[in-house]
Amino acid sequence: MLKREFRERDVQRMRNIITKDYTAKTVTQIGYSKAQIDHKEGDVWEENGKKWTIKNGIKQTVTRFDELKKIINLPLTCPNCSKAMKNTTLNKKMWPIHNKCFDCVIAHETELKRQGKFEEYAKTLISGGVKQYIKDLEDALVDFNNELNDQFVTEQGDIETWKGKGIDKEKLTREIQDHIQELKDIVNS
């Protein structure tokens, strides 16, 4: 037998938790209150200059590194075979590329070799890496050409002036563009 009774707001709070209505109020307050917007699981909104979301009923900030964390962090189990994904060097290398464990990659590639489709698969995989490298080079070239001055800050924090050092910006740009074109020709052949 209980020595005390539960208050109505305690019972209401438990009902809210059971029905997963985490933001519901249990008491009515009189006075000034800020307009409150109810957010559901998975909503993303901006408040006071920060992005927020609700995950598992908890309000959390959304950072610019969240997508990077998803790529880098290994899951507990492989989404392909549901086996435990151990934190090994091979799994760390295969997860960002294939989104599965090393054993699943080996099984997949073995099956492709058995079917005679491995050469096409390898070519597609390599050309995808080269295409990303070409895109990175083009982005770096755009950044390089957008520099308004010929002064750059080194890793040590020194300011270098390139104009008087014999570096021809136009020639360097042409050489990089030629290299990019050679890579595009290789990928498209």
Side-chain angles (χ1 to χ4, degrees):
M1 175 162 255
L2 290 175
K3 294 199 179 210
R4 69 178 182 102
E5 291 187 30
F6 288 105
R7 292 180 288 181
E8 178 60 32
R9 72 183 207 184
D10 295 332
V11 174
Q12 186 60 44
R13 179 67 185 147
M14 293 309 295
R15 283 185 189 133
N16 293 342
I17 290 172
I18 291 170
T19 60
K20 295 186 180 184
D21 190 6
Y22 302 107
T23 59
K25 297 186 185 276
T26 57
V27 293
T28 304
Q29 181 177 347
I30 298 173
Y32 172 77
S33 64
K34 195 166 113 176
Q36 184 174 347
I37 301 170
D38 289 335
H39 297 286
K40 306 256 185 280
E41 183 79 21
D43 287 351
V44 177
W45 71 95
E46 193 164 329
E47 185 177 294
N48 299 330
K50 276 186 164 181
K51 280 191 175 181
W52 296 89
T53 187
I54 295 181
K55 290 182 184 174
N56 300 325
I58 300 170
K59 182 177 170 182
Q60 300 177 354
T61 59
V62 177
T63 66
R64 59 185 176 159
F65 300 115
D66 284 347
E67 289 299 317
L68 184 62
K69 287 178 190 173
K70 285 180 188 174
I71 293 171
I72 293 174
N73 289 340
L74 292 175
L76 294 175
T77 61
C78 174
N80 195 42
C81 66
S82 300
K83 292 181 183 172
M85 199 147 160
K86 296 176 184 167
N87 196 9
T88 63
T89 305
L90 296 173
N91 281 337
K92 286 180 188 176
K93 286 183 180 181
M94 292 302 132
W95 174 250
I97 299 168
H98 301 283
N99 288 335
K100 50 185 160 184
C101 68
F102 178 71
D103 294 337
C104 289
V105 172
I106 294 298
H108 176 71
E109 289 179 355
T110 303
E111 181 61 25
L112 289 174
K113 284 180 183 178
R114 193 182 68 72
Q115 295 174 359
K117 298 178 182 178
F118 181 76
E119 296 298 324
E120 181 183 330
Y121 165 78
K123 201 181 265 189
T124 304
L125 201 60
I126 292 169
S127 69
V130 173
K131 286 177 184 177
Q132 183 61 44
Y133 176 66
I134 290 170
K135 182 183 177 308
D136 292 344
L137 268 178
E138 289 173 339
D139 292 345
L141 188 60
V142 167
D143 290 343
F144 178 71
N145 286 326
N146 285 340
E147 291 291 326
L148 298 176
N149 57 18
D150 293 324
Q151 291 185 341
F152 299 91
V153 179
T154 66
E155 288 98 7
Q156 291 82 21
D158 300 329
I159 297 176
E160 285 186 4
T161 304
W162 283 20
K163 197 170 212 147
K165 300 232 177 182
I167 295 175
D168 187 6
K169 216 174 184 181
E170 288 77 25
K171 181 181 175 190
L172 187 59
T173 301
R174 251 183 283 114
E175 288 176 3
I176 294 173
Q177 287 173 337
D178 291 343
H179 181 63
I180 290 172
Q181 189 56 47
E182 289 173 10
L183 290 173
K184 285 182 178 179
D185 292 342
I186 291 170
V187 168
N188 294 331
S189 62

